[in-house]
Amino acid sequence: MFNDMHKSAGVAYPQGFTAAGVRAGIKKSGNLDVAVIYTEKTAAVAGVFTQNQVAAAPVRVSKIVADTGTAHAIVANAGCANACTGEQGLRDAEKMADIAAKELGCRQDDVIVASTGVIGVALPMDKMEAGIKSAVKELSREGSVNAGNAIITTDTYSKACATEVEIGGKEVRFGAIAKGSGMIMPNMATMLCFITTDADIERKLLQEALSEITEVTFNMLTVDGDTSTNDMVIVLANGAAENPKITSKNADYEKFYATLKEMCTELAKRIAADGEGASKFLTINVHGAETFADAKKIGMAIANSLLVKTAFFGEDPNWGRVICAVGYSGVRISPEKTIIKYGGIPVYAHSVGVKFDENEIKKVMTAHDITIDIELGLGDFDATVWTCDTSFQYVKINADYTT
Amino acid sequence: MFNDMHKSAGVAYPQGFTAAGVRAGIKKSGNLDVAVIYTEKTAAVAGVFTQNQVAAAPVRVSKIVADTGTAHAIVANAGCANACTGEQGLRDAEKMADIAAKELGCRQDDVIVASTGVIGVALPMDKMEAGIKSAVKELSREGSVNAGNAIITTDTYSKACATEVEIGGKEVRFGAIAKGSGMIMPNMATMLCFITTDADIERKLLQEALSEITEVTFNMLTVDGDTSTNDMVIVLANGAAENPKITSKNADYEKFYATLKEMCTELAKRIAADGEGASKFLTINVHGAETFADAKKIGMAIANSLLVKTAFFGEDPNWGRVICAVGYSGVRISPEKTIIKYGGIPVYAHSVGVKFDENEIKKVMTAHDITIDIELGLGDFDATVWTCDTSFQYVKINADYTT
């Protein structure tokens, strides 16, 4: 479903979308740092935004745009978060939208703006203006790779994918670019993710689908437990596929929903796997909780335990740290009923460790992808949380990341 | 107050207490690993225990001892936590108390037991038995240093202190040994701390004082946000000072309380400063919150932010990560009213960064002890949280810590 061709097509895979990424000199590295995504045909827009009270200026501006229900463009930069920048920051975020709107020939409130990078530094607006102008000139159906690279920070690669589904006899396409890496924790504070689709769907349903799906995809991943000030998931749906407009929760909606969910799941997993300094991708399945919230809370307690994450970095099957995290998660559990498995192999059951084959466990622990199952035996609710290990590299990246 | 002489006197500084620490072969390193603290005169006992639901066997056994109200001894080991060890673990913890009781000539339910170290491994009871017997033989007024060293794990040094206060015309002494390092997070899951005093005080008041003081001392420190399965603070008060027995909250009680609190504060700070891999000791003062709980929550959000902790390791005045943590702490704040200071120097005020002298900030950031002040401007409550930075060494210790 998510092959390489699709990946490079990205956000420009759906009909009617173009994209570009350029070097504006905002990143110290000189890498691509300004992205524009555009649809001439008006798109329904849905968004989910950080819950951090110290929301950055672009978040505050884009919420207003999302509330209008429609948009034509997304303009985003990396290298500077435009967060904690006060009134000047708000004016700069509005100016980003204004510059793009003028170049594209749309209204300022048709432009979603996003920034990521260092907090507390003002955007260099001269560079930004030149960057946006040059990005708009470069907009093309081949521009998604550059756009994707322009929004990454400490990510080791751009997360991108694309796919299609048949709805009402029409091919409906989806594309996405996303960035993650550090300051990654649920409640949509997590990253930037821009999704395009040529589906024709009512705005209210689009927002409902995105909000629901975010809860079980992006909000189930954590890298370091930190909730950033900047991040957002945006979907633009421009209707260019000419499917019968989705206006109720019918079979077409179900198909749309399933495809969007599959895409968000894939991106969430990739963001976790590419967490700062990650050498392991960890999938934590919590089974048999009394509620989904309980299952998630336990999964997150494990996923955010530094002791668990450093043990996986060390390839050490130290399940004591996992049951310890389960025990302090805040969810009432029964140690006697609890079972923990690493790669399907029981390591703890009913209050005590289980003898396991050292070689079998070694195979599990030395692999890149590791699954941890926690069976609580208390109820019918499950949750899956994705994370990565914590390595020397994480500390290095974050001790050196410049202010 | 806490000089070196006092430190070496430790738990055997108060009249009537002896201590010992021996090598029993439980630690792989071959270092001291079994400690005994003893008072022939019956002591009132108070205890605070881990809130982790997966409480270790010794915690479950010692809670019962503490509930009897009196005790004669503490027997503790490092190298094996006797946690997640099922029924066998409970029997082993009881056996530890039983062996010590027989050697000391007291009852089994007069003996507090404590273990720290790897989770999920059964205690080697033959080594334990020999160790306890040899420790009891070595009990002396000079034994606190060895006892202190016998309970440490990845600590770089044993935390010990002693002091005295005049109560009702008598000199009342206090002594303590403590261990911390990893899996350090509030709600008394934090560590082992054994405090002795020759004060004569009613058991109920002793417990009340300890519980209250724990809230503002040990429960205000965090190293890595992990709440361990094992840890406890125990106070034994044997009355050997012959002060007028403290049975109400009179001036004597206030003196006793103030001295115990000063001691616990000192130990909490030392445990934070000696957190695993720590290169910095961070004091986070939150001022002007609407409640103490709010102030603590904000302090803990900052203290547990990996991004904050790695920035301090890198000596980087990245206040963006601090305000970010304040923003996601779960406490409603006003970014416009918030002020952040590093070493007394404002770096963020009223939604934006404050220009500061680079040299002055460098002096603050390169020091070992750093104070961060957060002024919320919302109310009259303050809280202080202690923590350390997160270094390469933390990851190394915890990737290598063997199971």
Side-chain angles (χ1 to χ4, degrees):
Chain A
M1 173 185 187
F2 303 112
N3 63 32
D4 279 349
M5 186 277 288
H6 273 150
K7 203 171 139 181
S8 64
V11 287
Y13 184 59
Q15 297 298 331
F17 284 93
T18 53
V22 299
R23 288 176 179 77
I26 300 168
K27 281 183 184 166
K28 284 187 183 175
S29 62
N31 288 337
L32 296 165
D33 51 14
V34 169
V36 174
I37 301 167
Y38 177 63
T39 167
E40 192 179 339
K41 196 165 165 14
T42 303
V45 60
V48 188
F49 299 91
T50 182
Q51 290 175 17
N52 194 311
Q53 295 173 83
V54 190
V59 169
R60 294 159 73 184
V61 168
S62 292
K63 275 185 176 172
I64 296 167
V65 175
D67 283 345
T68 69
T70 56
H72 278 275
I74 298 170
V75 52
N77 76 281
C80 173
N82 191 11
C84 302
T85 43
E87 285 305 313
Q88 180 67 45
L90 277 178
R91 282 196 301 272
D92 289 347
E94 284 164 2
K95 182 83 182 156
M96 272 176 81
D98 183 52
I99 297 165
K102 288 211 172 87
E103 293 298 308
L104 294 164
C106 63
R107 293 155 43 117
Q108 186 187 318
D109 67 2
D110 278 331
V111 182
I112 292 278
V113 292
S115 295
T116 178
V118 179
I119 296 175
V121 177
L123 282 176
M125 289 306 294
D126 47 342
K127 291 177 181 175
M128 181 64 79
E129 179 159 12
I132 294 170
K133 286 180 175 171
S134 118
V136 168
K137 282 196 189 76
E138 288 190 22
L139 283 169
S140 79
R141 297 303 301 274
E142 287 74 44
S144 182
V145 170
N146 281 354
N149 284 322
I151 63 166
I152 65 177
T153 51
T154 53
D155 307 66
T156 65
Y157 58 89
S158 166
K159 290 84 188 162
C161 61
T163 190
E164 63 282 307
V165 63
E166 182 270 314
I167 294 179
K170 301 287 181 175
E171 184 189 71
V172 170
R173 294 179 169 190
F174 294 75
I177 55 175
K179 65 87 47 181
S181 221
M183 232 185 233
I184 294 289
M185 170 70 177
N187 299 325
M188 203 31 48
T190 319
M191 78 251 137
L192 299 181
C193 180
F194 306 131
I195 301 171
T196 55
T197 174
D198 48 22
D200 198 2
I201 179 169
E202 198 188 50
R203 194 259 165 185
K204 208 170 141 272
L205 283 176
L206 182 67
Q207 181 66 49
E208 195 176 328
L210 178 64
S211 296
E212 277 179 27
I213 289 169
T214 297
E215 284 300 319
V216 292
T217 57
F218 299 118
N219 284 356
M220 298 303 280
L221 85 94
T222 178
V223 168
D224 50 17
D226 271 275
T227 301
S228 129
T229 50
N230 277 59
D231 301 341
M232 58 176 95
V233 178
I234 298 290
V235 183
L236 298 182
N238 71 359
E242 299 185 336
N243 58 294
K245 185 166 184 163
I246 302 170
T247 56
S248 69
K249 293 186 178 176
N250 57 12
D252 287 355
Y253 177 79
E254 295 306 324
K255 273 191 181 179
F256 177 89
Y257 189 98
T259 310
L260 184 62
K261 185 176 170 183
E262 194 170 356
M263 193 166 211
C264 291
T265 302
E266 178 66 19
L267 290 168
K269 289 163 77 170
R270 287 198 208 164
I271 289 171
D274 191 36
E276 281 180 342
S279 75
K280 304 281 184 193
F281 170 58
L282 309 178
T283 300
I284 301 166
N285 299 312
V286 181
H287 311 275
E290 287 178 7
T291 63
F292 173 76
D294 280 0
K296 177 177 174 179
K297 214 185 242 185
I298 288 173
M300 281 291 170
I302 298 167
N304 280 321
S305 161
L306 252 189
L307 289 167
V308 169
K309 291 157 83 77
T310 49
F312 277 97
F313 172 59
E315 302 188 338
D316 179 355
N318 193 333
W319 54 263
R321 295 177 180 179
V322 174
I323 186 66
C324 179
V326 173
Y328 68 65
S329 64
V331 175
R332 180 143 295 279
I333 56 126
S334 161
E336 288 68 31
K337 290 182 181 169
T338 306
I339 297 171
I340 299 175
K341 295 175 183 171
Y342 281 15
I345 302 171
V347 291
Y348 170 94
H350 316 306
S351 298
V352 292
V354 175
K355 275 219 186 315
F356 47 75
D357 184 308
E358 293 283 344
N359 284 327
E360 290 299 313
I361 279 287
K362 200 174 167 184
K363 261 185 236 168
V364 172
M365 296 304 293
T366 53
H368 180 269
D369 293 1
I370 305 177
T371 299
I372 302 110
D373 290 283
I374 316 294
E375 295 169 11
L376 301 172
L378 299 174
D380 297 326
F381 289 86
D382 302 340
T384 296
V385 169
W386 300 288
T387 191
C388 55
D389 59 340
T390 299
S391 67
F392 293 126
Q393 199 57 24
Y394 179 90
V395 177
K396 187 169 162 47
I397 291 167
N398 286 297
D400 293 350
Y401 194 78
T402 191
T403 49
Chain B
M1 174 184 184
F2 302 114
N3 62 32
D4 279 351
M5 186 277 289
H6 274 150
K7 201 170 141 182
S8 63
V11 287
Y13 184 59
Q15 297 297 333
F17 285 94
T18 53
V22 299
R23 288 176 177 77
I26 299 169
K27 281 182 185 167
K28 285 187 182 172
S29 62
N31 288 337
L32 296 165
D33 50 15
V34 169
V36 174
I37 300 167
Y38 177 62
T39 167
E40 192 180 339
K41 196 165 167 9
T42 304
V45 61
V48 188
F49 299 92
T50 182
Q51 290 175 17
N52 194 311
Q53 294 173 85
V54 189
V59 169
R60 294 159 72 183
V61 168
S62 291
K63 274 185 177 172
I64 296 167
V65 175
D67 282 346
T68 68
T70 56
H72 278 276
I74 298 170
V75 52
N77 76 280
C80 173
N82 191 14
C84 303
T85 44
E87 284 305 312
Q88 181 66 46
L90 276 179
R91 282 195 302 272
D92 289 347
E94 285 163 2
K95 182 82 182 157
M96 271 175 83
D98 183 53
I99 296 165
K102 289 212 172 88
E103 294 298 307
L104 294 165
C106 63
R107 294 155 43 118
Q108 185 187 316
D109 66 3
D110 279 330
V111 182
I112 292 280
V113 291
S115 296
T116 179
V118 180
I119 296 176
V121 177
L123 282 175
M125 288 307 293
D126 48 341
K127 291 177 181 174
M128 182 63 79
E129 180 159 12
I132 293 170
K133 286 181 175 171
S134 117
V136 169
K137 281 197 191 78
E138 288 191 21
L139 283 169
S140 78
R141 297 302 301 274
E142 286 74 46
S144 182
V145 170
N146 281 353
N149 284 320
I151 63 167
I152 65 176
T153 52
T154 53
D155 306 67
T156 65
Y157 60 88
S158 165
K159 288 85 188 161
C161 61
T163 191
E164 63 281 308
V165 63
E166 181 270 315
I167 294 180
K170 301 286 181 177
E171 184 190 72
V172 170
R173 294 179 168 189
F174 293 76
I177 55 174
K179 63 89 46 180
S181 220
M183 230 184 234
I184 293 290
M185 170 69 178
N187 298 327
M188 202 31 46
T190 320
M191 79 251 136
L192 299 181
C193 179
F194 306 132
I195 301 169
T196 56
T197 174
D198 47 23
D200 197 2
I201 179 168
E202 199 189 49
R203 193 260 165 186
K204 206 170 142 271
L205 283 177
L206 183 67
Q207 182 65 50
E208 195 176 327
L210 178 64
S211 297
E212 278 180 24
I213 289 169
T214 297
E215 284 300 319
V216 291
T217 56
F218 299 119
N219 284 357
M220 297 304 280
L221 85 96
T222 178
V223 168
D224 50 17
D226 270 276
T227 301
S228 130
T229 51
N230 277 59
D231 300 340
M232 59 176 95
V233 178
I234 297 290
V235 184
L236 298 182
N238 71 359
E242 300 186 334
N243 59 294
K245 185 164 184 165
I246 301 170
T247 57
S248 70
K249 292 186 178 175
N250 56 13
D252 287 355
Y253 176 79
E254 294 306 323
K255 273 190 180 181
F256 177 88
Y257 189 98
T259 310
L260 185 62
K261 184 175 170 186
E262 192 170 359
M263 192 166 211
C264 292
T265 302
E266 178 67 18
L267 290 168
K269 289 163 77 171
R270 287 197 208 165
I271 289 170
D274 191 37
E276 280 179 342
S279 75
K280 302 282 182 192
F281 170 58
L282 310 178
T283 300
I284 301 166
N285 299 312
V286 181
H287 311 275
E290 286 178 7
T291 64
F292 173 76
D294 280 0
K296 178 177 175 178
K297 213 185 241 183
I298 287 174
M300 281 292 169
I302 298 167
N304 280 322
S305 162
L306 252 189
L307 289 167
V308 169
K309 289 157 83 77
T310 50
F312 277 99
F313 172 58
E315 303 188 338
D316 180 355
N318 194 331
W319 54 263
R321 295 177 179 178
V322 174
I323 186 66
C324 179
V326 174
Y328 68 65
S329 64
V331 175
R332 180 143 295 280
I333 55 125
S334 162
E336 287 69 29
K337 289 181 183 169
T338 307
I339 297 171
I340 300 175
K341 295 176 183 171
Y342 280 16
I345 302 170
V347 291
Y348 170 94
H350 317 306
S351 298
V352 292
V354 176
K355 276 220 187 315
F356 47 74
D357 183 307
E358 293 283 345
N359 284 326
E360 290 299 313
I361 279 289
K362 201 175 168 187
K363 261 186 234 167
V364 171
M365 297 304 294
T366 53
H368 180 269
D369 293 2
I370 304 177
T371 299
I372 302 110
D373 289 282
I374 317 294
E375 295 169 12
L376 300 171
L378 300 173
D380 296 327
F381 289 86
D382 302 338
T384 296
V385 169
W386 299 287
T387 191
C388 56
D389 60 339
T390 299
S391 66
F392 293 126
Q393 199 56 22
Y394 179 91
V395 177
K396 184 165 164 52
I397 291 167
N398 285 298
D400 292 351
Y401 194 79
T402 191
T403 50

